[in-house]
Amino acid sequence: MASARFDYDVAVVGAGPAGSGTARSLAARGYRVALLERDPGPGRPVHCTGIVSDECFERYGLPASLVIGSVSSFVLRSPSGRPATIRRRSVQAHVLDRVGLDRWLADEAVRAGADLVTSTAVDDIRWTGDGVRLSLSAGSAPLTARAAVVATGFGTPLARKLDIGSSGELLSGCQAVVEQEGVDEIEVFTGDALGAGGFGWLVPWRAGLGLAGLLTRKHTMHRLNEHLARLRAAGRIGRIVERFRLRAVPIGLPDRTVADGIVAVGDVAGQVKPTSGGGIYYALLSAEIAAAALAEAIEAGDVTAAGLAPYEERWRAALGTEIRQGMRLRRLIEQLPESAIEQLHRLLGVPVLRRVLVSAAPSLDWHSSKLTRVLERLDRHRDAAPASLR
Ligand SMILES: Cc1cc2nc3c(=O)[nH]c(=O)nc-3n(C[C@H](O)[C@H](O)[C@H](O)COP(=O)(O)OP(=O)(O)OC[C@H]3O[C@@H](n4cnc5c(N)ncnc54)[C@H](O)[C@@H]3O)c2cc1C
């Protein structure tokens, strides 16, 4: 354990999934942990759809009370609007109450023994030679710890100041709560109107409501407005009830996620699926890896960048291939003309190819093996495709 000279063993900055997950794991190991959140409480303001795979849901023992809906199928719409329903036998994913998820994770950290300090932004973190000193907002006295976890999400001044995380490549996403009746399947939209490689969604949510949004490279608000207008014109949605904030999503592997006394976890470290922009599961996985590496470094008495390097090595071993392959897939899709996407969509109309595409996609989270398998199996079934698609 760390010496009593420090206020805490570890100060975790940001009470999103990455920060609360790390704080929970460290506190459960008996470390003195401060979980510092700039907003008045975890979870707000909300920006995210809250979809996690069943694998993530089970692994972290998330409570059923957070589930708004469970998903075993979704409708994929081609650029021209043609639907194809992708159905699996078992539940694949859950739409969670995202505010509730963040609160639950922060509560779990507190139950494990962490101190949650809200309405407190960390403005700077300085290495002092054997620990860190955190400058807090609003004139609060600085806080000391053996090490700090930067889990501030993407685009915060703190991460920029520390020059940690982010490859520099970005998507941005935004969504709105809309009136929506009689739809019980998630719909995913594709096409140039959503930007190259961009996609839109309409997700059944609470009673009479849905979430309509999109993730794309640029012109996000303009494209969201057009997406909403198209859905309204088609009679798919009614009134817009609330708009969430625009948020950047970093994609690609960053140069470094460790510095003397500091590790970066979650969005700030680019631990996000480059294809879908989903980051909750990777944040929780990386939080586990960070907590274990921090505990080892503290016990070994070396929290320098060298002592914390195992975190960097282990999370890259766990997620690096996925993120690299996800970037390749994203670049490929971004280069495809709309007509090619329309044609690829037609493959789903060929029964044997549809079976290949659906059965070779075992997981929402691990895309690299899926991509390789789909391409290999499609190659084996080339003769089944219409001549125009070969
Ligand atoms: C439109 C949209 C939809 C999405 N939908 C999904 C989805 O369905 N499924 C999915 O898996 N992912 C989704 N994501 C991505 C997901 O929201 C993020 O990957 C996830 O929130 C990352 O968690 P995090 O803990 O790293 O960061 P965050 O959730 O951003 O948490 C960071 C926390 O740090 C706090 N903070 C920031 N700076 C400071 C500071 N200086 N001091 C103290 N506190 C600070 C913030 O207030 C915040 O509470 C979506 C993203 C967008 C934009």
Side-chain angles (χ1 to χ4, degrees), residues 50-98:
I51 298 177
V52 296
S53 64
D54 192 51
E55 180 182 316
C56 171
F57 186 77
E58 293 296 332
R59 180 173 178 141
Y60 291 101
L62 303 178
S65 57
L66 294 177
V67 176
I68 295 172
S70 295
V71 180
S72 56
S73 66
F74 69 97
V75 177
L76 182 62
R77 289 202 178 262
S78 75
S80 69
R82 205 147 44 92
T85 303
I86 314 292
R87 204 177 296 284
R88 304 292 299 272
R89 284 205 185 89
S90 56
V91 167
Q92 300 295 300
H94 305 275
V95 182
L96 301 183
D97 167 356
R98 174 62 206 261

Side-chain angles (χ1 to χ4, degrees), residues 13-19 36-39 42-43 47-52 98 102 120-123 151-154 156 158 172-175 201 214-215 247-249 265-268 271-273 277-281 283:
V13 188
L36 303 150
E37 169 56 48
R38 76 174 168 200
D39 289 327
H47 63 274
C48 166
T49 319
I51 298 177
V52 296
R98 174 62 206 261
D102 283 21
T120 304
V122 174
D123 294 333
T152 49
F154 180 72
T156 59
L158 180 63
S172 65
C174 195
Q175 63 184 349
W201 60 84
L214 91 165
L215 191 75
R247 277 285 297 256
V249 177
V265 185
D267 268 17
V268 70
Q271 292 156 346
V272 175
K273 289 172 242 174
I280 297 171
Y281 191 20

Side-chain angles (χ1 to χ4, degrees), residues 32-383:
R32 295 174 301 137
V33 178
L35 176 56
L36 303 150
E37 169 56 48
R38 76 174 168 200
D39 289 327
R44 287 225 176 258
V46 68
H47 63 274
C48 166
T49 319
I51 298 177
V52 296
S53 64
D54 192 51
E55 180 182 316
C56 171
F57 186 77
E58 293 296 332
R59 180 173 178 141
Y60 291 101
L62 303 178
S65 57
L66 294 177
V67 176
I68 295 172
S70 295
V71 180
S72 56
S73 66
F74 69 97
V75 177
L76 182 62
R77 289 202 178 262
S78 75
S80 69
R82 205 147 44 92
T85 303
I86 314 292
R87 204 177 296 284
R88 304 292 299 272
R89 284 205 185 89
S90 56
V91 167
Q92 300 295 300
H94 305 275
V95 182
L96 301 183
D97 167 356
R98 174 62 206 261
V99 178
L101 173 68
D102 283 21
R103 287 189 182 151
W104 184 80
L105 288 167
D107 285 350
E108 284 283 291
V110 171
R111 268 192 287 274
D115 288 342
L116 173 64
V117 185
T118 54
S119 300
T120 304
V122 174
D123 294 333
D124 201 4
I125 305 176
R126 287 281 160 87
W127 173 243
T128 55
D130 61 348
V132 289
R133 185 183 173 88
L134 288 78
S135 311
L136 310 184
S137 60
S140 305
L143 185 148
T144 59
R146 285 305 313 271
V149 175
V150 176
T152 49
F154 180 72
T156 59
L158 180 63
R160 275 197 299 276
K161 207 181 273 180
L162 297 171
D163 189 23
I164 202 165
S166 181
S167 71
E169 279 208 53
L170 291 181
L171 302 174
S172 65
C174 195
Q175 63 184 349
V177 179
V178 294
E179 287 178 344
Q180 184 208 28
E181 291 288 354
V183 177
D184 55 6
E185 271 177 333
I186 290 180
E187 289 190 36
V188 177
F189 301 82
T190 57
D192 282 354
L194 300 158
F199 66 95
W201 60 84
L202 181 56
V203 173
W205 205 47
R206 302 183 186 284
L209 299 174
L211 294 174
L214 91 165
L215 191 75
T216 190
R217 286 263 186 194
K218 42 188 181 177
H219 309 309
T220 308
M221 290 315 290
H222 172 67
R223 290 189 162 128
L224 175 66
N225 288 336
E226 287 187 346
H227 178 50
L228 294 172
R230 279 191 299 275
L231 290 172
R232 268 192 100 158
R236 307 294 316 286
I237 63 171
R239 206 169 50 88
I240 294 163
V241 177
E242 184 187 353
R243 279 171 187 270
F244 292 159
R245 279 201 315 201
L246 177 83
R247 277 285 297 256
V249 177
I251 51 169
L253 289 168
D255 289 341
R256 62 170 197 144
T257 57
V258 159
D260 287 333
I262 299 174
V263 301
V265 185
D267 268 17
V268 70
Q271 292 156 346
V272 175
K273 289 172 242 174
T275 43
S276 66
I280 297 171
Y281 191 20
Y282 285 7
L284 292 172
L285 281 173
S286 304
E288 273 183 69
I289 298 170
L294 278 160
E296 288 164 22
I298 291 170
E299 294 312 317
D302 180 6
V303 292
T304 63
L308 294 170
Y311 165 65
E312 182 108 48
E313 285 154 21
R314 289 178 203 161
W315 84 255
R316 285 180 195 272
L319 301 176
T321 304
E322 290 301 323
I323 294 176
R324 218 172 289 114
Q325 291 282 59
M327 288 301 283
R328 285 177 58 196
L329 180 55
R330 165 158 285 284
R331 293 215 169 89
L332 183 79
I333 294 169
E334 286 179 354
Q335 283 164 20
L336 287 178
E338 192 175 80
S339 57
I341 294 176
E342 190 72 40
Q343 288 223 325
L344 278 172
H345 193 272
R346 283 176 56 198
L347 288 175
L348 291 168
V350 180
V352 66
L353 298 177
R354 182 193 186 83
R355 272 201 304 280
V356 167
L357 286 167
V358 174
S359 70
S363 159
L364 287 177
D365 303 304
W366 311 111
H367 295 150
S368 63
S369 61
K370 173 167 81 179
L371 172 66
T372 313
R373 228 172 306 166
V374 167
L375 293 177
E376 281 168 1
R377 293 180 68 182
L378 278 177
D379 202 44
R380 260 184 266 143
H381 291 288
R382 275 166 71 144
D383 291 347

